[in-house]
Amino acid sequence: MDDLFASGGLRVTDTASGVTLTPGCCNGLEERRDWFDVLDGGGWASFGHDPSTLAERQGDVVRLTVDADRDDSPVIELAAGDLRRLLTGAERDLTGFLALAAAWAGRQLPDHAAPVTSALARALLLRDPGPPYA
C-alpha cells in the first residue's frame, strides 16, 4: 500500500488532574509531527474529531483542549519545554519499537523482514534501519 498509517495518535494525560487528551478519529501516529508545529510553527494544531482535540501555544505554555466543540471542555496546560521533552521521548520510543519489530521480523519472517520493516518505518515516518533484521 502506498498510504500506510498508524491509527491512534498521541495521548496526553495530566496525572495531577486526571484529564486526558485522546486524539479523535482521523488522527494517527504518522501525524505526530503536527505537535512540533505547535511548538515551532504556527502555534496550534488539531488532532481529529469526535472529540475535536486542539493544542495551542500561548507564550511558554501549551493549552490542550480535550474537545474544542464543547464550551466546558477540560483542558491541560503544560510548559512548552515539557511538551518538547514528551515528544522527544515518544520519538525515542517509536524508534525503539521499530528496532524491536525489525528484529522480530528477522527471526519470525526472515524472507519478509525487509518489506515488513520498511512498511512499518513508512507508516511511522521513521528511517528504515535496514539489515540486519535479526
Side-chain angles (χ1 to χ4, degrees):
M1 292 176 52
D2 290 334
D3 296 327
L4 298 175
F5 59 93
S7 182
L10 298 176
R11 180 174 65 181
V12 179
T13 300
D14 180 343
T15 56
S17 69
V19 173
T20 298
L21 179 135
T22 304
C25 70
C26 309
N27 187 257
L29 286 173
E30 71 280 0
E31 296 173 286
R32 70 188 178 282
R33 300 272 178 357
D34 292 350
W35 286 95
F36 287 104
D37 283 345
V38 173
L39 295 172
D40 303 322
W44 74 274
S46 63
F47 303 99
H49 59 279
D50 294 328
S52 295
T53 55
L54 179 66
E56 301 172 279
R57 183 167 183 170
Q58 300 170 342
D60 290 336
V61 174
V62 177
R63 183 179 174 92
L64 308 177
T65 304
V66 172
D67 189 350
D69 290 339
R70 289 180 37 200
D71 291 336
D72 63 342
S73 176
V75 298
I76 298 170
E77 290 188 349
L78 69 157
D82 290 342
L83 178 58
R84 188 175 305 279
R85 181 184 50 76
L86 290 169
L87 292 172
T88 299
E91 289 294 314
R92 184 180 54 249
D93 291 347
L94 287 169
T95 299
F97 167 77
L98 180 60
L100 290 171
W104 175 88
R107 289 188 309 275
Q108 302 298 320
L109 310 165
D111 295 339
H112 303 285
V116 166
T117 301
S118 178
L120 277 172
R122 281 188 332 207
L124 296 173
L125 297 178
L126 295 171
R127 186 182 60 79
D128 187 337
Y133 295 110

